[in-house]
Amino acid sequence: MNILDKNIIKGDNDIRKLEETKRLKSVEDRQVSSEVFDNATLKVLYKLAKLGYINQLSGVISTGKEANVLKGIDDNGNIVAVKIYRVVTSDFKKIRTYIDGDPRFKTHGNNKRQIIREWTYKEFKNLGRLANVGVNVPEVFVARENVLVMEYLYSDENKDKAALPLQKSVLNNAELVFDKIIEFMNLSYNKAGLVHGDLSMYNILMSKKQPYIIDLSQGTLTSHPISRSLLDRDINNIINNAKRFNVNLDFESVKNRVLKT
């Protein structure tokens, strides 16, 4: 069976087995969405399949300019999320803004694939860093080149569905949810030494009645020169998001809670 076909890329529910031989497909097959499944990415997926991280791939969970997230199944039958970062359409100028100045990562010149590799490993490390201090994030399993395999977060009603974004959730306890989010921001800043940098309801999922923080590739160390401005932006985003649920938050109060150890 094949790793990919047109039905899978379009998000159909049909699940196809990865090739047992892990060999590359024909040129015609590889041309199905070359922006995501280029030759190099297929090689990475086959390597991860050989290691047992991916046994099957099914529909698309989400699509974006910088990455697509697919639902997969590992060799143990567990559902996983497979995030594939795009090499062709990513905003490299923006990415360099977050990578430059971070001592954990190095990029040389303008090699796009290397920059995306560092971007992938950045999210892997940031998610692990937050998990270690008690922030709700998807568990990360492995990162290889431009592919990240992590925990699949699902809604309480049906684990075969993607977890619900915060803005589409019906929050009967909105104040408690936003209180938890601010608590996570505090842990992230003071315990993990990280600022999310793009925190909003579009990067918060409601799963198992708890908010989960996602999309951490742009997460920035608190020692970075732009970390405070990014923190201010995150706080403003959360305040604006809270208003949609009739929760009134004050900027200075939230900032004091976040910075308080």
Side-chain angles (χ1 to χ4, degrees):
M1 303 292 287
N2 291 323
I3 182 173
L4 300 168
D5 66 7
K6 293 182 180 180
N7 288 332
I8 287 177
I9 290 178
K10 289 179 180 178
D12 288 0
N13 292 325
D14 181 39
I15 295 177
R16 300 299 181 91
K17 277 274 190 178
L18 288 170
E19 279 186 304
E20 292 183 358
T21 59
K22 316 306 180 194
R23 63 182 176 83
L24 290 178
K25 296 180 64 190
S26 68
V27 173
E28 180 182 355
D29 289 329
R30 290 201 303 270
Q31 288 175 345
V32 178
S33 188
S34 60
E35 289 182 355
V36 179
F37 299 104
D38 58 12
N39 187 54
T41 299
L42 284 173
K43 288 182 179 179
V44 175
L45 290 171
Y46 291 145
K47 288 179 181 178
L48 291 174
K50 188 174 182 180
L51 293 171
Y53 289 106
I54 307 171
N55 183 271
Q56 300 174 11
L57 285 178
S58 58
V60 176
I61 298 173
S62 66
T63 60
K65 183 179 179 181
E66 294 181 352
N68 282 11
V69 183
L70 301 176
K71 185 166 66 174
I73 299 176
D74 65 16
D75 276 2
N76 295 318
N78 301 309
I79 301 176
V80 295
V82 182
K83 189 170 186 176
I84 303 174
Y85 297 82
R86 295 169 177 261
V87 176
V88 176
T89 60
S90 292
D91 186 342
F92 291 95
K93 184 177 180 180
K94 171 188 172 184
I95 290 174
R96 289 299 294 262
T97 300
Y98 293 101
I99 293 180
D100 289 346
D102 191 327
R104 298 175 298 168
F105 306 97
K106 294 181 180 179
T107 57
H108 303 282
N110 294 312
N111 186 308
K112 292 184 177 181
R113 189 162 291 278
Q114 184 188 50
I115 292 173
I116 293 300
R117 178 182 181 276
E118 296 301 315
W119 195 238
T120 305
Y121 279 80
K122 195 167 189 282
E123 176 152 29
F124 178 83
K125 288 182 176 292
N126 285 346
L127 286 169
R129 196 163 177 149
L130 290 188
N132 287 337
V133 300
V135 177
N136 284 349
V137 294
E139 181 181 357
V140 286
F141 303 130
V142 65
R144 289 287 187 277
E145 298 300 329
N146 63 320
V147 179
L148 174 64
V149 181
M150 55 190 165
E151 178 185 7
Y152 176 75
L153 297 176
Y154 53 87
S155 65
D156 298 320
E157 290 78 14
N158 187 338
K159 72 177 182 178
D160 291 329
K161 296 181 180 179
L164 298 175
L166 180 60
Q167 76 274 17
K168 295 182 180 178
S169 300
V170 178
L171 298 180
N172 297 321
N173 55 345
E175 289 188 4
L176 293 177
V177 170
F178 281 98
D179 186 72
K180 190 73 171 179
I181 292 168
I182 296 170
E183 177 188 341
F184 287 162
M185 294 172 72
N186 174 281
L187 289 172
S188 176
Y189 193 90
N190 294 292
K191 301 297 183 181
L194 279 178
V195 175
H196 188 287
D198 192 27
L199 187 62
S200 75
M201 59 189 179
Y202 296 101
N203 289 326
I204 301 172
L205 301 181
M206 290 302 300
S207 180
K208 304 171 186 176
K209 299 181 181 179
Q210 288 284 336
Y212 276 70
I213 310 299
I214 62 169
D215 289 341
L216 261 294
S217 53
Q218 76 291 319
T220 303
L221 295 176
T222 55
S223 59
H224 197 284
I226 66 173
S227 65
R228 279 299 183 94
S229 62
L230 293 177
L231 176 62
D232 288 350
R233 186 172 71 183
D234 285 350
I235 293 173
N236 280 319
N237 285 342
I238 293 304
I239 289 174
N240 291 331
N241 296 161
K243 290 178 181 177
R244 298 193 180 194
F245 299 95
N246 297 316
V247 176
N248 294 317
L249 299 174
D250 174 76
F251 179 87
E252 291 301 325
S253 297
V254 173
K255 189 168 186 176
N256 288 336
R257 281 190 59 189
V258 172
L259 296 179
K260 182 179 178 180
T261 58

